[in-house]
Amino acid sequence: MPIVDETDRTLESLIRACQPETMLFPDDGRTPNNATLPLLLYRGAVVLPKNLDPAAVFEELFVANGWGRSWRNGVYSFLHFHTRTHEVLGIARGKARVRFGGDRGETVTVTAGDVVVLPAGTGHQRIGPAENLLVVGAYPPGGSYDQLEPDEADGAEARARIARVRVPATDPIYGSDGPLVSCWNGCGG
């Protein structure tokens, strides 16, 4: 059942149209990243009214667009990545500085309402303290969850697994017509 509050706001009314910022990170020798698919950062893509549970908004949004197995937490303070699935992070509350792309990546401040889509292999870690941070994560169908740190991964094996992860059929915010679909399919994914 879609989220509806006393002003009759549906889930769709909580989504802002925006184009993502894209970031492509090369393999840095420790973190494989993704050779073809860029990270997508949607700034302020989701409106989070005070009378709704912000995490529930993201959970319902992601499920409505085919991304499941959601969780609520933060972003780990150690560098890690996933080689068998893509991941979406919805910032439900607070803010934090997160470095994407490994040791030589880019540090970005994410705030409530932002959404980050990490292609398989993309390193990520929280840098410094988080301010009241609550993140909802989810995954597209078809992948399986793994979590590796740079010293735990065999580079060639990790890159081979990453290359086998399929491009999802839907964007976790905008569905089958969303920017992820056209961007990632146009990147050779």
Side-chain angles (χ1 to χ4, degrees), residues 12-50:
E12 289 178 351
S13 73
L14 301 177
I15 301 168
R16 290 184 178 141
C18 68
Q19 288 298 312
E21 297 173 30
T22 60
M23 299 174 209
L24 188 62
F25 303 106
D27 184 326
D28 67 8
R30 292 190 68 226
T31 304
N33 293 306
N34 196 298
T36 57
L37 304 178
L39 174 147
L40 304 176
L41 171 58
Y42 298 89
R43 296 239 185 233
V46 180
V47 177
L48 300 168
K50 293 182 192 247

Tab-separated table of all heavy atoms in Angstrom, residues 12-50:
chain	number	residue	atom	x	y	z
A	12	GLU	N	4.512	8.834	-5.028
A	12	GLU	CA	4.984	9.545	-6.227
A	12	GLU	C	5.154	11.037	-5.987
A	12	GLU	O	6.030	11.674	-6.560
A	12	GLU	CB	4.036	9.308	-7.398
A	12	GLU	CG	4.114	7.906	-7.945
A	12	GLU	CD	3.134	7.669	-9.077
A	12	GLU	OE1	2.270	8.535	-9.329
A	12	GLU	OE2	3.235	6.608	-9.707
A	13	SER	N	4.310	11.614	-5.126
A	13	SER	CA	4.408	13.050	-4.879
A	13	SER	C	5.638	13.419	-4.048
A	13	SER	O	5.975	14.590	-3.928
A	13	SER	CB	3.141	13.560	-4.194
A	13	SER	OG	3.104	13.139	-2.842
A	14	LEU	N	6.318	12.426	-3.485
A	14	LEU	CA	7.507	12.687	-2.673
A	14	LEU	C	8.799	12.643	-3.488
A	14	LEU	O	9.880	12.851	-2.944
A	14	LEU	CB	7.584	11.667	-1.530
A	14	LEU	CG	6.384	11.643	-0.583
A	14	LEU	CD1	6.555	10.539	0.451
A	14	LEU	CD2	6.168	12.986	0.073
A	15	ILE	N	8.672	12.381	-4.780
A	15	ILE	CA	9.845	12.260	-5.648
A	15	ILE	C	10.021	13.551	-6.442
A	15	ILE	O	9.091	14.036	-7.076
A	15	ILE	CB	9.686	11.073	-6.614
A	15	ILE	CG1	9.495	9.782	-5.820
A	15	ILE	CG2	10.890	10.965	-7.541
A	15	ILE	CD1	9.041	8.623	-6.671
A	16	ARG	N	11.239	14.085	-6.402
A	16	ARG	CA	11.580	15.269	-7.199
A	16	ARG	C	12.290	14.812	-8.466
A	16	ARG	O	13.159	13.939	-8.419
A	16	ARG	CB	12.542	16.173	-6.433
A	16	ARG	CG	11.948	16.858	-5.259
A	16	ARG	CD	12.983	17.788	-4.645
A	16	ARG	NE	12.424	18.497	-3.532
A	16	ARG	CZ	13.073	18.751	-2.411
A	16	ARG	NH1	14.312	18.366	-2.270
A	16	ARG	NH2	12.486	19.412	-1.445
A	17	ALA	N	11.937	15.419	-9.567
A	17	ALA	CA	12.632	15.112	-10.821
A	17	ALA	C	14.019	15.729	-10.766
A	17	ALA	O	14.168	16.915	-10.500
A	17	ALA	CB	11.848	15.671	-12.006
A	18	CYS	N	15.035	14.916	-10.960
A	18	CYS	CA	16.400	15.436	-11.013
A	18	CYS	C	17.284	14.469	-11.790
A	18	CYS	O	16.986	13.282	-11.877
A	18	CYS	CB	16.953	15.691	-9.616
A	18	CYS	SG	17.256	14.247	-8.613
A	19	GLN	N	18.328	15.004	-12.348
A	19	GLN	CA	19.320	14.186	-13.035
A	19	GLN	C	20.461	13.904	-12.063
A	19	GLN	O	20.864	14.780	-11.297
A	19	GLN	CB	19.855	14.901	-14.282
A	19	GLN	CG	18.860	14.958	-15.418
A	19	GLN	CD	18.488	13.575	-15.910
A	19	GLN	OE1	19.342	12.729	-16.158
A	19	GLN	NE2	17.192	13.321	-16.030
A	20	PRO	N	21.007	12.716	-12.093
A	20	PRO	CA	22.077	12.392	-11.150
A	20	PRO	C	23.424	12.981	-11.570
A	20	PRO	O	23.696	13.157	-12.757
A	20	PRO	CB	22.131	10.868	-11.200
A	20	PRO	CG	21.689	10.541	-12.587
A	20	PRO	CD	20.645	11.574	-12.925
A	21	GLU	N	24.227	13.261	-10.558
A	21	GLU	CA	25.648	13.504	-10.802
A	21	GLU	C	26.254	12.126	-11.032
A	21	GLU	O	25.833	11.147	-10.400
A	21	GLU	CB	26.305	14.137	-9.574
A	21	GLU	CG	25.771	15.493	-9.197
A	21	GLU	CD	26.349	15.990	-7.873
A	21	GLU	OE1	27.498	15.629	-7.521
A	21	GLU	OE2	25.635	16.725	-7.183
A	22	THR	N	27.222	12.022	-11.919
A	22	THR	CA	27.861	10.735	-12.181
A	22	THR	C	29.341	10.806	-11.817
A	22	THR	O	29.977	11.847	-11.997
A	22	THR	CB	27.715	10.312	-13.653
A	22	THR	OG1	28.328	11.294	-14.482
A	22	THR	CG2	26.246	10.154	-14.042
A	23	MET	N	29.850	9.706	-11.301
A	23	MET	CA	31.266	9.601	-10.933
A	23	MET	C	31.748	8.214	-11.331
A	23	MET	O	31.168	7.214	-10.914
A	23	MET	CB	31.440	9.784	-9.428
A	23	MET	CG	30.990	11.106	-8.900
A	23	MET	SD	31.094	11.117	-7.084
A	23	MET	CE	29.781	12.277	-6.724
A	24	LEU	N	32.786	8.177	-12.119
A	24	LEU	CA	33.377	6.904	-12.542
A	24	LEU	C	34.756	6.802	-11.912
A	24	LEU	O	35.577	7.716	-12.056
A	24	LEU	CB	33.470	6.838	-14.067
A	24	LEU	CG	33.890	5.508	-14.676
A	24	LEU	CD1	32.878	4.412	-14.346
A	24	LEU	CD2	34.032	5.646	-16.182
A	25	PHE	N	34.998	5.721	-11.205
A	25	PHE	CA	36.256	5.550	-10.481
A	25	PHE	C	37.052	4.387	-11.071
A	25	PHE	O	36.521	3.285	-11.202
A	25	PHE	CB	35.981	5.260	-9.003
A	25	PHE	CG	35.165	6.320	-8.328
A	25	PHE	CD1	33.837	6.085	-8.010
A	25	PHE	CD2	35.724	7.549	-8.023
A	25	PHE	CE1	33.078	7.060	-7.383
A	25	PHE	CE2	34.973	8.529	-7.396
A	25	PHE	CZ	33.650	8.293	-7.080
A	26	PRO	N	38.319	4.603	-11.387
A	26	PRO	CA	39.144	3.497	-11.890
A	26	PRO	C	39.569	2.565	-10.755
A	26	PRO	O	39.539	2.943	-9.585
A	26	PRO	CB	40.364	4.217	-12.474
A	26	PRO	CG	40.481	5.477	-11.675
A	26	PRO	CD	39.062	5.865	-11.334
A	27	ASP	N	39.934	1.376	-11.128
A	27	ASP	CA	40.534	0.427	-10.193
A	27	ASP	C	41.806	1.095	-9.663
A	27	ASP	O	42.634	1.554	-10.434
A	27	ASP	CB	40.857	-0.861	-10.954
A	27	ASP	CG	41.395	-1.977	-10.084
A	27	ASP	OD1	42.114	-1.690	-9.111
A	27	ASP	OD2	41.115	-3.140	-10.404
A	28	ASP	N	41.944	1.171	-8.340
A	28	ASP	CA	43.127	1.839	-7.785
A	28	ASP	C	44.173	0.854	-7.273
A	28	ASP	O	45.108	1.232	-6.573
A	28	ASP	CB	42.729	2.837	-6.700
A	28	ASP	CG	42.157	2.194	-5.444
A	28	ASP	OD1	42.198	0.948	-5.310
A	28	ASP	OD2	41.677	2.945	-4.576
A	29	GLY	N	43.997	-0.426	-7.603
A	29	GLY	CA	44.936	-1.443	-7.148
A	29	GLY	C	44.506	-2.104	-5.846
A	29	GLY	O	44.938	-3.208	-5.545
A	30	ARG	N	43.673	-1.432	-5.066
A	30	ARG	CA	43.134	-1.990	-3.820
A	30	ARG	C	41.620	-2.163	-3.911
A	30	ARG	O	41.068	-3.120	-3.404
A	30	ARG	CB	43.450	-1.074	-2.631
A	30	ARG	CG	44.908	-1.006	-2.281
A	30	ARG	CD	45.141	-0.279	-0.961
A	30	ARG	NE	44.599	-1.088	0.141
A	30	ARG	CZ	43.857	-0.591	1.121
A	30	ARG	NH1	43.567	0.686	1.173
A	30	ARG	NH2	43.407	-1.374	2.078
A	31	THR	N	40.972	-1.190	-4.521
A	31	THR	CA	39.520	-1.207	-4.668
A	31	THR	C	39.210	-1.338	-6.151
A	31	THR	O	39.624	-0.485	-6.941
A	31	THR	CB	38.907	0.095	-4.108
A	31	THR	OG1	39.334	0.249	-2.751
A	31	THR	CG2	37.398	0.070	-4.178
A	32	PRO	N	38.462	-2.377	-6.551
A	32	PRO	CA	38.251	-2.590	-7.985
A	32	PRO	C	37.371	-1.533	-8.643
A	32	PRO	O	37.548	-1.221	-9.817
A	32	PRO	CB	37.595	-3.969	-8.048
A	32	PRO	CG	37.014	-4.190	-6.694
A	32	PRO	CD	37.863	-3.429	-5.742
A	33	ASN	N	36.407	-0.982	-7.895
A	33	ASN	CA	35.431	-0.062	-8.461
A	33	ASN	C	34.726	-0.715	-9.638
A	33	ASN	O	34.631	-1.927	-9.700
A	33	ASN	CB	36.072	1.289	-8.775
A	33	ASN	CG	36.476	2.005	-7.489
A	33	ASN	OD1	35.646	2.178	-6.606
A	33	ASN	ND2	37.744	2.380	-7.356
A	34	ASN	N	34.210	0.067	-10.569
A	34	ASN	CA	33.497	-0.506	-11.712
A	34	ASN	C	34.041	0.145	-12.969
A	34	ASN	O	34.015	1.379	-13.095
A	34	ASN	CB	31.991	-0.290	-11.579
A	34	ASN	CG	31.200	-1.170	-12.509
A	34	ASN	OD1	31.338	-1.065	-13.718
A	34	ASN	ND2	30.376	-2.049	-11.948
A	35	ALA	N	34.538	-0.660	-13.879
A	35	ALA	CA	35.217	-0.146	-15.070
A	35	ALA	C	34.293	0.567	-16.048
A	35	ALA	O	34.754	1.392	-16.842
A	35	ALA	CB	35.935	-1.291	-15.789
A	36	THR	N	32.988	0.266	-16.008
A	36	THR	CA	32.093	0.842	-17.018
A	36	THR	C	30.912	1.630	-16.471
A	36	THR	O	30.410	2.514	-17.154
A	36	THR	CB	31.526	-0.267	-17.932
A	36	THR	OG1	30.866	-1.239	-17.127
A	36	THR	CG2	32.628	-0.933	-18.740
A	37	LEU	N	30.456	1.318	-15.271
A	37	LEU	CA	29.240	1.953	-14.752
A	37	LEU	C	29.581	3.022	-13.711
A	37	LEU	O	30.253	2.732	-12.726
A	37	LEU	CB	28.317	0.909	-14.110
A	37	LEU	CG	27.903	-0.261	-14.997
A	37	LEU	CD1	27.039	-1.227	-14.212
A	37	LEU	CD2	27.197	0.233	-16.240
A	38	PRO	N	29.072	4.241	-13.892
A	38	PRO	CA	29.357	5.294	-12.915
A	38	PRO	C	28.426	5.219	-11.706
A	38	PRO	O	27.290	4.758	-11.804
A	38	PRO	CB	29.079	6.579	-13.703
A	38	PRO	CG	28.017	6.194	-14.677
A	38	PRO	CD	28.338	4.768	-15.062
A	39	LEU	N	28.930	5.703	-10.586
A	39	LEU	CA	28.096	5.946	-9.413
A	39	LEU	C	27.110	7.042	-9.793
A	39	LEU	O	27.460	7.976	-10.523
A	39	LEU	CB	28.980	6.406	-8.252
A	39	LEU	CG	28.307	6.860	-6.962
A	39	LEU	CD1	29.185	6.485	-5.774
A	39	LEU	CD2	28.051	8.348	-6.962
A	40	LEU	N	25.881	6.947	-9.302
A	40	LEU	CA	24.856	7.966	-9.559
A	40	LEU	C	24.477	8.603	-8.234
A	40	LEU	O	24.108	7.897	-7.284
A	40	LEU	CB	23.621	7.334	-10.201
A	40	LEU	CG	23.848	6.557	-11.496
A	40	LEU	CD1	22.547	5.902	-11.959
A	40	LEU	CD2	24.413	7.453	-12.578
A	41	LEU	N	24.561	9.927	-8.154
A	41	LEU	CA	24.207	10.670	-6.948
A	41	LEU	C	23.057	11.610	-7.273
A	41	LEU	O	23.206	12.551	-8.041
A	41	LEU	CB	25.403	11.465	-6.432
A	41	LEU	CG	25.152	12.463	-5.292
A	41	LEU	CD1	24.560	11.773	-4.073
A	41	LEU	CD2	26.450	13.186	-4.941
A	42	TYR	N	21.895	11.303	-6.713
A	42	TYR	CA	20.689	12.108	-6.888
A	42	TYR	C	20.556	13.003	-5.659
A	42	TYR	O	20.223	12.528	-4.571
A	42	TYR	CB	19.453	11.219	-6.987
A	42	TYR	CG	19.417	10.264	-8.144
A	42	TYR	CD1	19.952	8.981	-8.038
A	42	TYR	CD2	18.801	10.627	-9.342
A	42	TYR	CE1	19.874	8.084	-9.095
A	42	TYR	CE2	18.710	9.732	-10.397
A	42	TYR	CZ	19.257	8.467	-10.272
A	42	TYR	OH	19.179	7.578	-11.304
A	43	ARG	N	20.821	14.281	-5.809
A	43	ARG	CA	20.754	15.227	-4.686
A	43	ARG	C	19.306	15.676	-4.458
A	43	ARG	O	18.647	16.147	-5.381
A	43	ARG	CB	21.608	16.443	-4.977
A	43	ARG	CG	23.071	16.103	-5.100
A	43	ARG	CD	23.853	16.865	-4.090
A	43	ARG	NE	25.265	16.640	-4.257
A	43	ARG	CZ	26.030	16.245	-3.254
A	43	ARG	NH1	25.514	16.048	-2.068
A	43	ARG	NH2	27.316	16.070	-3.449
A	44	GLY	N	18.834	15.513	-3.229
A	44	GLY	CA	17.497	15.976	-2.867
A	44	GLY	C	16.380	15.359	-3.675
A	44	GLY	O	15.357	15.986	-3.917
A	45	ALA	N	16.538	14.112	-4.072
A	45	ALA	CA	15.569	13.462	-4.949
A	45	ALA	C	14.264	13.082	-4.258
A	45	ALA	O	13.242	12.917	-4.914
A	45	ALA	CB	16.185	12.216	-5.574
A	46	VAL	N	14.300	12.951	-2.932
A	46	VAL	CA	13.121	12.494	-2.209
A	46	VAL	C	12.766	13.506	-1.120
A	46	VAL	O	13.618	13.908	-0.327
A	46	VAL	CB	13.359	11.098	-1.589
A	46	VAL	CG1	12.133	10.615	-0.833
A	46	VAL	CG2	13.738	10.091	-2.680
A	47	VAL	N	11.503	13.914	-1.107
A	47	VAL	CA	10.979	14.805	-0.072
A	47	VAL	C	10.614	13.946	1.135
A	47	VAL	O	9.962	12.909	0.981
A	47	VAL	CB	9.726	15.561	-0.581
A	47	VAL	CG1	9.132	16.429	0.518
A	47	VAL	CG2	10.068	16.385	-1.811
A	48	LEU	N	11.026	14.370	2.315
A	48	LEU	CA	10.788	13.589	3.523
A	48	LEU	C	9.989	14.415	4.534
A	48	LEU	O	10.560	15.070	5.403
A	48	LEU	CB	12.126	13.135	4.124
A	48	LEU	CG	12.981	12.262	3.198
A	48	LEU	CD1	14.377	12.097	3.747
A	48	LEU	CD2	12.316	10.915	2.965
A	49	PRO	N	8.642	14.386	4.430
A	49	PRO	CA	7.804	15.149	5.361
A	49	PRO	C	7.999	14.687	6.805
A	49	PRO	O	8.223	13.496	7.057
A	49	PRO	CB	6.377	14.856	4.899
A	49	PRO	CG	6.514	14.338	3.510
A	49	PRO	CD	7.853	13.659	3.447
A	50	LYS	N	7.908	15.608	7.731
A	50	LYS	CA	8.129	15.296	9.152
A	50	LYS	C	7.108	14.322	9.715
A	50	LYS	O	7.388	13.627	10.690
A	50	LYS	CB	8.137	16.583	9.973
A	50	LYS	CG	9.319	17.453	9.668
A	50	LYS	CD	9.328	18.701	10.517
A	50	LYS	CE	10.356	19.647	9.973
A	50	LYS	NZ	11.465	19.903	10.767
